[in-house]
Amino acid sequence: GLAQPLTGMIADKYGAGRVMAAGAALYAIGLTLMAFSTSGIEFGVSAGIVVGIALSCSGFSIVYGVIGRAFPVEKRSTALGLAGAAGSFGQFVMLPYGQTLISNIGWHNALLTLALTILLIVPLSAALVEKRAAPAPGQFKQSIPEALREALGHRGFWLLCIAYTVCGFQLMFISIHFPAYMIDQHMTPHTGMLALALIGLFNIFGSYFWGWLGGRYTKKYLLSTLYLTRAIAIAVFIALPVSPWTVYVFGAVIGFLWLGTVPLTSGLIAQIFGVRYLSTLSGIAFLFHQIGSFFGVGIGGYLFDATGSYRLMWMLTIGMGVLAAILNYPIDDRQIVR
């Protein structure tokens, strides 16, 4: 999260392909160092810092900057949603792939194999190389500092970023704590892991669907609807008796709502500020998302230790979802005329 705005700026200035290729190499180094870690500090540096920076070079913000510039306005949101669905499919595939490697060759060799696998990104990053034409005579030229001042002075950008914090808070809490919640509810860990798999599967369809809707309807209203629907889904889930079927249905529903915020948020940023510095501005928004992720994991663990239950955390997650729905509604989504 902390590196995302910086890598976004580098991608907008020097090209996303270079950033993606460098990130893949750094990712492979981080996984290799992780395999040979012998202390908590080494593990934290490799898996946390090195891999974390690598992720900032290969995340949605970097890819969306290129896609946003490659497609016309009427097709942009759908294209962003399709890219999000592809990323979700990768997440869905890599979970069983990684588990299969661990089961057959052990975690050490699995990490080294994953390090080699991630290097496939290097040649594929050539797809992100752009041919940028020189600005037309009389066309407004904007620098990165000017773009940052413009965005940070826009009330709607702050509302969008704060709401994005809620997205990270909700998603990472569920990702990390859901298996433990299943055990707390006397369910098997297998049930929790199957629910997470369903989240990954339905996330593929949801990412594309919400991106497709973003090309036809007002994005800020769609974001409000998505956050509110997510809050309702969580409320219904914790109100019903927990059973394998309620868990699986919840996984499917919440998966459909999982990353639909990403194409809509990036699409709304492009709509208001243009696409020239889309990776930079999306990177700032994603920083807020990751701050929410950080607190979603930490507060969830703290409240469970303090109260012996996840119920208070679920209630907080619902309330924040409603808040995010309210924050997106008044955003001024008119394109800035320079």
Side-chain angles (χ1 to χ4, degrees):
L2 291 174
Q4 190 72 71
L6 178 61
T7 56
M9 292 179 196
I10 297 173
D12 283 333
K13 188 172 180 62
Y14 298 105
R18 295 176 180 177
V19 172
M20 183 71 75
L26 192 62
Y27 207 145
I29 293 171
L31 289 173
T32 302
L33 293 175
M34 183 178 171
F36 290 98
S37 295
T38 58
S39 67
I41 294 177
E42 292 177 0
F43 186 79
V45 170
S46 60
I49 297 176
V50 178
V51 172
I53 295 174
L55 281 169
S56 74
C57 296
S58 56
F60 283 122
S61 299
I62 305 300
V63 178
Y64 279 2
V66 177
I67 293 175
R69 288 185 286 268
F71 286 86
V73 174
E74 65 274 11
K75 296 180 179 180
R76 182 182 298 148
S77 186
T78 302
L80 295 176
L82 187 60
S88 302
F89 178 74
Q91 179 182 356
F92 176 70
V93 170
M94 289 302 292
L95 283 171
Y97 174 61
Q99 185 60 55
T100 300
L101 289 176
I102 293 172
S103 300
N104 287 278
I105 61 177
W107 65 265
H108 178 83
N109 290 325
L111 284 172
L112 297 178
T113 304
L114 289 172
L116 293 174
T117 304
I118 209 71
L119 289 176
L120 291 172
I121 291 178
V122 175
L124 293 172
S125 63
L128 299 181
V129 176
E130 299 176 89
K131 295 181 180 179
R132 299 189 184 181
Q139 182 178 348
F140 182 84
K141 299 178 182 179
Q142 188 182 44
S143 65
I144 289 180
E146 289 171 339
L148 291 175
R149 284 195 296 269
E150 181 180 76
L152 296 178
H154 193 283
R155 177 173 173 267
F157 184 72
W158 284 103
L159 293 174
L160 191 65
C161 289
I162 295 171
Y164 217 18
T165 306
V166 174
C167 180
F169 186 93
Q170 294 175 324
L171 266 54
M172 196 53 63
F173 161 66
I174 294 174
S175 297
I176 299 300
H177 289 281
F178 199 74
Y181 177 70
M182 289 293 93
I183 295 174
D184 184 58
Q185 296 296 311
H186 309 293
M187 307 295 290
T188 64
H190 175 76
T191 302
M193 292 308 297
L194 185 55
L196 291 177
L198 287 171
I199 288 175
L201 177 62
F202 279 84
N203 182 30
I204 299 171
F205 307 108
S207 295
Y208 175 76
F209 175 76
W210 288 101
W212 177 82
L213 283 181
R216 288 156 177 78
Y217 302 99
T218 304
K219 295 179 183 63
K220 65 175 184 178
Y221 295 150
L222 290 173
L223 279 169
S224 291
T225 301
L226 195 156
Y227 281 114
L228 184 60
T229 306
R230 197 188 281 173
I232 293 172
I234 295 172
V236 171
F237 173 64
I238 65 171
L240 294 174
V242 178
S243 70
W245 281 109
T246 61
V247 172
Y248 300 150
V249 171
F250 174 73
V253 172
I254 208 69
F256 193 77
L257 305 169
W258 196 251
L259 286 181
T261 56
V262 179
L264 292 176
T265 300
S266 295
L268 189 54
I269 292 173
Q271 176 180 317
I272 298 172
F273 302 102
V275 296
R276 176 65 184 87
Y277 296 111
L278 181 55
S279 290
T280 300
L281 300 183
S282 295
I284 295 173
F286 194 73
L287 169 59
F288 280 80
H289 184 282
Q290 294 303 88
I291 291 173
S293 300
F294 177 84
F295 283 106
V297 174
I299 294 176
Y302 172 78
L303 290 179
F304 181 81
D305 288 341
T307 66
S309 169
Y310 280 111
R311 188 164 189 82
L312 184 58
M313 184 61 184
W314 281 119
M315 299 300 293
L316 179 60
T317 304
I318 294 169
M320 292 183 68
V322 175
L323 176 62
I326 296 172
L327 289 174
N328 277 283
Y329 197 83
I331 291 175
D332 183 358
D333 59 356
R334 292 173 295 178
Q335 182 180 2
I336 292 178
V337 179
R338 303 184 182 93

